[in-house]
């Protein structure tokens, strides 16, 4: 190595490059490569067989995959919308509180403090058809005399998962929107009152445009969250019964580890990541537009 | 167009009363300025008129309607805020037309009204811009445009010029005055700047600690201040105000120096009464350099040392020491003076003011 003296700036950047390459770039390229092989964990030598786009071809013809894909998009859409509406209401309520607002804000964040695995277990217990709290409550109130199969019926199971997801993460929206409300200058609202706005019109024309960027940040974060949703579903239904609640990542993990078809699973994962990127790009565009609209300086 | 009348208007925050039963009648098309130091309740009063602040007692009438309980949107007022309060996500045109849009006017009507207001204020070029792309003065103008498109009964201005630099402030002051002449509506204008109040208003309301100290045309509050506070607040530089005691037809100051008791107050004070003597810088001047030189009837001159000078070009403010205090005097056709120079200082006692030291009220009849 004598005589080879890299410029100081390259030398100084080198550690960062090496670490980045080791933990991000190489695994990324390796997994991308493996999606072009029939790699099975049980037969390590298969990683050397290059099969081109065959995994992807199979994937695009695979009904099961597209059902899981569609279900993930559905979960994402419904959860995001409901969380947005509920979070908005929560934020507006908490913002009105003149006393104990800090306490309320902290309480509001409680669901975020639990591990999703535990949330999964908790809701699995609550929605259990025999011993669950929900059925118990419904029966005690005389609303039904049957044990509703919350986690067994496909639609009900999806709803249950949705409820668990919303419960655990609505506060993300609430916190962001509340931050927006608190950062908002109060004078335009007063101007709107003088200009003849009813409270609803003030919200529609003044408050909402202002908090929109904050809502979009929350949407971006949550869309990534839900697109990679795994833990709550894994615990509550494990994609079952009979794949009726299968979503992308439960399918991918099953393909990778239970079926040991890592190559195919990696191909799925890359498609799933494209979905995430798509949503992120979309929300960031909206965010940029909304920010520009209010002339935000951040 | 409408009158505004406040009757025993009270504002309390919890147990703290900040506006104490004030009464005020504003004539139709009158320009009234509420002026006073910060915390005197002038902005609170304006916000109560606007309906942004609930009132704790008394009555507010706009025209012949009592508006105590009405929300701002039913009062037919418009308001210009100190921070402009423009809607950041709307263009200038949208900002100005917003109230009409809310009122359900057609797009044609809105466009016509906005174009009209834009012409009045010289905003035609800026209609498609957003507030963030405008300078302070332009934003201020848009805020005024937003106020005038609706032809409200009353305009409320809440310190509209205090965020502008001195030059722009003077320019906008003229524009507001022209605007008022053009739109001919009732204006209530809050400011802490007495020059703004003096130059703009038909009548000035001077407030202090939630009370009204004096109401009157600029000329009157300047010439005949009703209290020591008003005397000190109105006029720039401020009036010379010094404590004295009446003794043997003279005003005796703390260090024993004296001035003759002004004739107009001879019958209004008693021997030994503690008073505050006031004389504007215009009425105390180095001999031969005053406004009234020669013609004033009641001039008393004393030789005193100069302690400081502030040359302003066409005039110089001379701080001279008399009776152990600094007196500000205005020197016209100035000549150069240095600290410690002895000059003959003339007091035009016919222009003097006298306030009771205890009540601080004017002793003038």
């Amino acid at each position: 190595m004598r005589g080879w003296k890299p410029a100081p700036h390259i030398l100084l950047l080198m550690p960062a490059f090496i670490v980045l390459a080791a933990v991000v770039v190489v695994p990324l390229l390796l997994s991308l490569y493996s999606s072009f092989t029939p790699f099975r964990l049980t037969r390590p030598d298969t990683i050397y067989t290059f099969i081109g786009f065959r995994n992807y071809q199979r994937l695009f013809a695979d009904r099961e995959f597209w059902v899981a894909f569609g279900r993930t998009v559905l979960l994402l859409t419904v959860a995001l919308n409901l969380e947005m509406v509920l979070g908005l209401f929560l934020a507006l309520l908490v913002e009105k509180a003149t006393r104990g607002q800090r306490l309320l804000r902290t309480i509001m964040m409680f669901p975020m403090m639990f591990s999703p695995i535990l949330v999964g277990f908790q809701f699995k217990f609550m929605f259990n058809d025999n011993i669950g709290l929900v059925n118990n409550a419904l029966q005690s109130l005389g609303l039904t005399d049957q044990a509703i199969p919350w986690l067994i019926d496909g639609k009900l199971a999806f709803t249950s998962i949705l409820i668990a997801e919303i419960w655990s993460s609505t506060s993300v929206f609430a916190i962001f929107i509340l931050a927006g409300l608190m950062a908002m200058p109060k004078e335009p609202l007063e101007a709107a009152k003088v200009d003849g706005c009813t409270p609803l019109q003030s919200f529609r024309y003044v408050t909402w445009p202002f908090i929109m960027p904050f809502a979009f940040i929350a949407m971006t974060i949550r869309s990534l969250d839900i697109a990679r949703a795994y833990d709550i579903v894994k615990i509550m239904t494990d994609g079952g019964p009979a794949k009726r609640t299968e979503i992308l990542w439960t399918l991918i993990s099953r393909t990778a580890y239970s079926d040991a078809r890592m190559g195919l699973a990696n191909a799925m994962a890359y498609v799933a990541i494209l979905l995430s990127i798509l949503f992120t790009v979309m929300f960031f565009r909206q965010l940029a537009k909304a920010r520009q609209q209010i002339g935000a300086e951040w | 167009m409408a009158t505004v009348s406040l009757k025993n208007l009270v504002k309390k925050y919890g147990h703290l009363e900040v506006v104490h039963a004030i009464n005020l009648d504003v004539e139709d098309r009158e320009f009234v300025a509420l002026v006073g130091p910060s915390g005197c309740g002038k902005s609170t009063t304006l916000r109560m008129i606007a309906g942004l602040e609930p009132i704790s007692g008394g009555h507010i009438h706009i025209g012949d309607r009592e508006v105590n309980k009405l929300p701002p949107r039913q009062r037919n007022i418009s308001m210009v805020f100190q921070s402009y309060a423009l809607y950041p996500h709307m263009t200038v045109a949208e900002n100005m037309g917003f109230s009409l849009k809310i009122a359900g006017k057609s797009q044609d009507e809105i466009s016509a009204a906005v174009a009209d207001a834009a012409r009045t204020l010289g905003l035609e070029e800026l209609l498609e811009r957003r507030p963030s792309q405008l300078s302070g003065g332009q934003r201020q103008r848009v805020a005024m445009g937003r106020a005038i498109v609706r032809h409200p009964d009353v305009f409320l201005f809440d310190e509209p010029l205090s965020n502008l630099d001195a030059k722009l402030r003077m320019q906008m002051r003229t524009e507001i005055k022209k605007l008022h002449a053009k739109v001919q509506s009732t204006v209530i204008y809050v400011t802490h700047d007495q020059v703004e109040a003096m130059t703009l208003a038909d009548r000035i309301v001077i407030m202090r600690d939630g009370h009204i100290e004096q109401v009157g045309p600029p000329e009157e509050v300047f010439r005949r201040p009703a209290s020591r506070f008003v005397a000190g607040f109105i006029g720039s530089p401020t009036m010379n105000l010094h404590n004295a005691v009446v003794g043997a037809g003279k005003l005796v100051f703390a260090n024993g120096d004296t001035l003759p008791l002004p004739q107009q107050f001879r019958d209004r004070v008693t021997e030994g009464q503690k008073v505050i003597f006031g004389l504007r810088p215009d009425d105390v001047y180095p001999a031969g350099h005053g406004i009234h030189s020669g013609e004033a009837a009641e001039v008393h001159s004393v030789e005193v040392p100069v302690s400081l000078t502030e040359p302003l070009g066409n005039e110089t403010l001379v701080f001279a020491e008399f009776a152990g205090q600094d007196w500000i005097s205005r020197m016209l056709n100035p000549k150069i003076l240095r600290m410690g120079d002895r000059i003959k200082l003339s007091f035009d006692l016919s222009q003097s003011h006298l306030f009771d030291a205890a009540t601080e009220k004017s002793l003038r009849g």
Side-chain angles (χ1 to χ4, degrees), chain A residues 2-278:
Chain A
R2 189 179 291 173
W4 186 69
K5 271 200 183 152
H9 60 276
I10 292 182
L11 206 61
L12 286 167
L13 284 171
M14 202 60 92
F17 274 119
I18 292 172
V19 170
L20 207 65
V23 302
V24 179
V25 180
V26 171
L28 203 68
L29 291 177
L30 192 67
S31 64
L32 182 65
Y33 164 75
S34 78
S35 74
F36 296 108
T37 69
F39 180 39
R40 281 172 176 269
L41 289 177
T42 46
R43 290 169 51 201
D45 56 317
T46 49
I47 198 163
Y48 300 111
T49 322
F50 189 77
I51 55 166
F53 283 95
R54 207 178 303 157
N55 276 334
Y56 289 93
Q57 278 168 358
R58 180 186 304 180
L59 210 57
F60 280 99
D62 184 0
R63 191 172 176 280
E64 201 176 284
F65 174 76
W66 288 110
V67 168
F69 188 92
R71 197 174 281 124
T72 307
V73 175
L74 183 70
L75 181 70
L76 205 153
T77 319
V78 178
L80 275 191
N81 279 295
L82 289 178
E83 284 176 21
M84 167 78 215
V85 173
L86 292 173
L88 179 64
F89 271 107
L90 260 180
L92 287 172
L93 281 179
V94 171
E95 208 246 340
K96 287 267 173 271
T98 44
R99 264 189 217 180
Q101 205 198 61
R102 284 154 69 114
L103 186 70
L104 280 174
R105 286 207 299 261
T106 314
I107 292 174
M108 200 164 71
M109 287 175 72
F110 275 177
M112 289 166 71
M113 296 173 192
F114 295 110
S115 152
I117 300 271
L118 296 181
V119 174
F121 276 121
Q122 197 58 34
F123 276 86
K124 187 179 189 179
F125 158 66
M126 292 208 291
F127 283 115
N128 186 291
D129 47 355
N130 286 321
I131 56 161
L133 279 180
V134 176
N135 274 351
N136 191 322
L138 290 177
Q139 286 165 359
S140 308
L141 290 170
L143 294 174
T144 178
D145 52 1
Q146 292 175 353
I148 300 171
W150 287 108
L151 296 174
I152 295 163
D153 179 273
K155 282 197 180 113
L156 287 179
F158 184 79
T159 313
S160 309
I161 290 170
L162 197 62
I163 290 171
E165 194 66 62
I166 290 171
W167 179 86
S168 69
S169 301
T170 291
S171 42
V172 174
F173 276 90
I175 296 289
F176 272 98
I177 293 174
L178 187 61
L181 286 172
M182 285 165 46
M184 187 175 152
K186 295 290 167 269
E187 290 85 359
L189 271 182
E190 298 194 326
K193 277 189 201 168
V194 174
D195 269 348
C197 284
T198 60
L200 207 63
Q201 286 169 322
S202 298
F203 177 78
R204 156 89 179 70
Y205 291 110
V206 182
T207 310
W208 177 241
F210 197 87
I211 55 178
M212 216 150 59
F214 294 84
F216 279 126
I217 295 174
M219 284 219 191
T220 313
I221 293 175
R222 283 295 296 151
S223 74
L224 288 174
D225 251 6
I226 302 180
R228 66 182 166 86
Y230 174 70
D231 23 31
I232 288 184
V233 182
K234 171 77 184 168
I235 299 299
M236 283 179 74
T237 64
D238 197 12
K243 303 194 171 168
R244 272 176 289 195
T245 55
E246 191 85 290
I247 58 170
L248 273 178
W249 288 99
T250 55
L251 178 67
I252 293 169
S253 78
R254 199 186 318 285
T255 312
Y257 302 114
S258 306
D259 307 350
R261 283 151 55 177
M262 194 52 111
L264 181 63
N266 273 335
M268 288 178 175
Y270 270 94
V271 177
I273 284 168
L274 280 183
L275 175 72
S276 291
I277 292 175
L278 197 76

Side-chain angles (χ1 to χ4, degrees), chain B residues 96 110-122 124 127 148-149 151:
Chain B
M96 286 166 65
I110 298 176
S111 304
V114 168
D116 198 33
R119 206 166 329 126
T120 309
L121 291 160
E124 291 113 315
L127 285 177
I148 62 173
V149 285
H151 301 292

